[in-house]
């Protein structure tokens, strides 16, 4: 057993193992109750216990008025908000084991200041009867809510939990509880008054432009309220089409007369429209066949690419001439720089066999690829990029290099060629591609198909004359 004056000591006869702690046979009252004990009416306070001991199964019980008065709660602490002076008691839940201790809570009677003022903080010029109201706080006795403008000691403008105001400019309002000389602190609230937008004085910008040109329009004068913007429209009232925002507006390319409107739009107000008419000159005359503003004569030279494994793959060339603008014509010819080589015979087999005299053939891997074609067609598109399509006649010959050996003659041989019948064609040819005109220069690239059996590709550079 232990109390404030005695400790339990571990006997020297007990084994030196385990943990021994003193135990209480009954609860003992706390030394004191701590916490704020002088408060304002409406405030709260938290009381806590210092010292004391609870026997097993017991708990601290809090009472008001007497040790067996109104039960307020249990535990080592208690939060309360009394509205008058009162005495608080606490004891263990086993009354025979613990006596009560108590403390006095002194409550100062008076009004509580408002927590906030509710209302619209931003209004537009000319708005009236804006309602402001008190949030939180508490009135005591005969106190009233008193409203002021400008400062808490400024012009009194009304009484009550709410008030209507009509500020002409940004103003700060105040409210506090007051009963004679007894008054709370002030709560403040500012209303910002935004001026309305004003109609512009006019619009600057070219009024007469060429066909396909544009005009840049600019607002002159006027005023935008905070959060407002200039909004541009075109078309006919009332079915106007919004086309842009801002003090400066580009019309884009115009091809007919157009009327543009602008006004300020925002939360406070929309101003009246002002407008500006843009006159567009007539569309220039265009050739009904050649619809380009400019006709040019085209010369282009390039290279035909065949199978990458072939020897001399860049020995085949293409030359193109043409004329026109967005629509035109062209003629092309494909040539080979290789010497006209005759084939000793035709075959579709790389494993060449003996021929009809004493001797044999040996494939030496050399390939000669000849390409020729004559086509014509049209091109159409824009001033810079056009597609072209044409047709005509073409030929493609693939020759394999061979060595012709003779028996009994010291292995002498003669170099010759064999025509690869499976890769040699002639007949109708179709070609298509793109042409890019960059000022004085042009680029052409496309593909050709010979009887839809053989396709090659070409690219070239040329001039616009």
């Amino acid at each position: 057993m232990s109390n404030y004056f005695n400790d339990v000591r571990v006997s020297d006869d007990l084994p030196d193992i385990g943990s021994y702690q003193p135990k209480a046979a009954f609860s003992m009252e706390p030394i004191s109750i701590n916490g704020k004990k002088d408060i304002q009416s409406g405030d709260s306070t938290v009381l806590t216990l210092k010292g004391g001991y609870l026997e097993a199964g017991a708990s601290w019980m809090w009472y008001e008025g007497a040790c067996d008065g109104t039960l307020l709660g249990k535990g080592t602490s208690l939060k309360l908000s009394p509205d008058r002076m009162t005495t608080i008691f606490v004891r263990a839940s086993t009354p025979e084991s613990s006596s009560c201790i108590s403390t006095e809570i002194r409550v100062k009677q008076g009004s509580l200041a408002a927590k906030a003022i509710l209302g619209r903080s931003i209004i537009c010029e000319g708005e009236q009867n804006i309602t402001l109201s008190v949030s939180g706080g508490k009135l005591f006795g005969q106190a009233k809510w008193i409203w002021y403008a400008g400062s808490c000691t400024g012009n009194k403008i009304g009484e009550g939990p709410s008030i209507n105001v009509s500020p002409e400019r940004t103003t700060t309002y105040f409210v506090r509880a007051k009963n004679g000389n007894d008054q709370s602190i002030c709560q403040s609230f500012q209303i910002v008054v935004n001026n309305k937008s004003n109609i512009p004085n006019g619009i600057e910008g070219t009024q007469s432009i060429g066909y396909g040109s544009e005009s840049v329009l600019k607002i002159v004068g006027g005023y935008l309220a905070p959060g407002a913007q200039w909004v541009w429209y075109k078309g006919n009232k009332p079915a106007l089409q919004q086309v842009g925002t801002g003090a400066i507006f580009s019309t884009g390319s115009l091809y007919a007369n157009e009327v543009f409107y602008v006004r300020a739009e925002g939360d406070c107000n929309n101003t009246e429209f002002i407008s500006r008419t843009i006159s567009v000159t007539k569309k220039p005359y265009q050739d009904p066949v050649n619809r380009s503003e400019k006709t040019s004569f085209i010369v282009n030279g390039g290279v035909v690419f065949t199978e990458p494994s072939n020897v001399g793959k860049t020995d085949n060339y293409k030359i193109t001439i043409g004329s026109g603008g967005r629509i035109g014509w062209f003629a092309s010819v494909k040539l080979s720089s290789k010497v006209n080589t005759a084939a000793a015979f035709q075959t579709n087999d790389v494993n060449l066999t003996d021929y009809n005299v004493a001797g044999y053939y040996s494939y030496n891997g050399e390939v000669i690829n000849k390409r020729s074609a004559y086509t014509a067609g049209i091109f159409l598109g824009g001033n810079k990029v056009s597609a072209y399509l044409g047709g005509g006649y073409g030929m493609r010959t693939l020759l394999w290099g061979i060595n012709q050996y003779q028996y009994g003659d010291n292995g002498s041989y003669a170099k010759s060629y064999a025509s690869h019948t499976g890769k040699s064609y002639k007949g109708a040819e179709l070609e298509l591609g793109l042409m890019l005109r960059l000022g004085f220069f042009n680029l052409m690239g496309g593909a050709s198909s010979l009887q839809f059996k053989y396709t090659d590709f070409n690219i070239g550079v040329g001039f616009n004359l």
Side-chain angles (χ1 to χ4, degrees):
M1 174 178 179
S2 68
N3 54 29
Y4 294 128
F5 308 102
N6 299 302
D7 294 328
V8 174
R9 296 182 179 180
V10 179
S11 171
D12 294 336
D13 298 330
L14 293 176
D16 189 17
I17 58 174
S19 175
Y20 301 94
Q21 295 181 357
K23 300 292 183 180
F26 51 85
S27 299
M28 294 178 291
E29 68 271 15
I31 297 174
S32 63
I33 299 175
N34 294 339
K36 186 177 180 180
K37 300 173 183 178
D38 291 293
I39 63 174
Q40 183 77 26
S41 176
D43 289 348
S44 62
T45 184
V46 177
L47 303 180
T48 58
L49 299 178
K50 178 181 179 181
Y53 184 83
L54 290 174
E55 64 181 279
S59 59
W60 298 117
M61 309 296 289
W62 298 81
Y63 301 91
E64 181 181 18
C67 196
D68 57 352
T70 302
L71 179 63
L72 299 178
K74 63 180 182 177
T76 57
S77 64
L78 175 70
K79 182 178 180 180
L80 68 163
S81 301
D83 57 3
R84 65 187 185 282
M85 186 175 69
T86 186
T87 302
I88 304 300
F89 296 81
V90 66
R91 71 178 180 188
S93 57
T94 52
E96 69 277 10
S97 301
S98 171
S99 58
C100 279
I101 66 170
S102 63
T103 188
E104 186 178 70
I105 306 300
R106 295 170 290 277
V107 180
K108 181 182 178 181
Q109 300 294 329
S111 300
L112 297 180
K115 297 293 184 181
I117 298 175
L118 303 181
R120 292 173 56 196
S121 60
I122 300 177
I123 66 172
C124 296
E125 177 186 8
E127 288 192 69
Q128 296 183 344
N129 296 324
I130 308 303
T131 300
L132 302 179
S133 57
V134 172
S135 175
K138 182 179 180 181
L139 294 177
F140 178 77
Q142 301 301 312
K144 298 179 181 179
W145 296 114
I146 308 298
W147 296 85
Y148 304 88
S151 70
C152 199
T153 58
N155 179 34
K156 176 183 175 181
I157 58 174
E159 300 179 357
S162 64
I163 191 173
N164 289 337
V165 295
S166 302
E168 296 180 356
R169 58 185 178 274
T170 298
T171 303
T172 302
Y173 296 93
F174 299 82
V175 68
R176 66 181 173 190
K178 186 174 183 180
N179 181 15
N181 294 327
D182 184 17
Q183 58 189 22
S184 69
I185 63 173
C186 273
Q187 182 63 259
S188 63
F189 185 82
Q190 184 181 67
I191 297 181
V192 176
V193 181
N194 287 333
N195 294 329
K196 291 183 178 181
S197 299
N198 292 332
I199 190 171
N201 298 331
I203 301 175
E204 290 182 346
T206 305
Q207 287 187 276
S208 180
I209 61 175
Y211 182 85
S213 299
E214 66 179 10
S215 179
V216 177
L217 305 180
K218 181 180 179 181
I219 294 291
V220 178
Y223 169 76
L224 282 179
Q229 62 179 348
W230 301 116
V231 182
W232 295 84
Y233 297 84
K234 73 175 182 178
N236 298 316
K237 293 182 178 180
L240 294 177
Q241 174 188 356
Q242 183 177 332
V243 292
T245 59
I248 300 176
F249 170 71
S250 177
T251 64
S253 299
L254 298 179
Y255 303 96
N257 295 344
E258 192 71 77
V259 181
F260 291 91
Y261 300 83
V262 67
R263 70 177 178 182
E265 295 184 5
D267 293 337
C268 282
N269 69 307
N270 294 340
T271 65
E272 295 295 325
F273 283 111
I274 63 171
S275 64
R276 192 169 185 84
T277 301
I278 308 298
S279 300
V280 179
T281 58
K282 292 183 178 181
K283 180 179 180 181
Y285 173 78
Q286 290 183 334
D287 188 327
V289 176
N290 179 14
R291 292 171 292 179
S292 171
E293 290 115 0
K294 181 179 180 182
T295 299
S296 60
F297 184 75
I298 299 165
V299 177
N300 186 280
V303 178
V304 177
F305 293 92
T306 57
E307 295 94 335
S309 62
N310 288 349
V311 176
K313 62 181 180 180
T314 59
D315 290 338
N316 297 307
Y317 305 97
K318 179 181 178 182
I319 298 175
T320 302
I321 62 172
S323 179
R326 293 182 178 176
I327 295 180
W329 62 270
F330 75 93
S332 296
V333 58
K334 290 180 180 177
L335 302 171
S336 175
S337 65
K338 295 183 180 296
V339 178
N340 186 18
T341 305
F345 58 87
Q346 296 181 342
T347 182
N348 194 30
D349 184 6
V350 297
N351 299 310
L352 301 175
T353 60
D354 293 349
Y355 50 90
N356 57 1
V357 296
Y360 62 94
Y361 302 121
S362 174
Y363 173 58
N364 67 11
E366 184 178 3
V367 174
I368 295 179
N369 184 23
K370 289 186 175 182
R371 186 77 167 95
S372 62
Y374 309 91
T375 57
I378 64 170
F379 61 83
L380 53 91
N383 290 328
K384 291 186 177 181
V385 181
S386 300
Y388 65 85
L389 175 67
Y393 179 82
M395 292 187 299
R396 188 255 187 172
T397 303
L398 179 61
L399 299 178
W400 283 335
I402 60 172
N403 294 330
Q404 295 176 311
Y405 292 89
Q406 295 182 0
Y407 297 122
D409 192 14
N410 298 322
S412 63
Y413 71 95
K415 184 177 179 180
S416 183
Y417 291 91
S419 175
H420 184 1
T421 58
K423 297 292 185 178
S424 298
Y425 311 100
K426 61 181 177 179
E429 178 150 342
L430 176 69
E431 70 171 320
L432 54 86
L434 293 175
M435 177 174 61
L436 175 64
R437 281 180 282 191
L438 302 172
F440 181 67
F441 298 97
N442 64 68
L443 297 175
M444 294 183 69
S448 299
S449 179
L450 181 55
Q451 292 188 325
F452 296 102
K453 296 179 180 179
Y454 172 77
T455 301
D456 59 17
F457 302 92
N458 62 83
I459 188 170
V461 63
F463 305 95
N464 302 313
L465 305 176

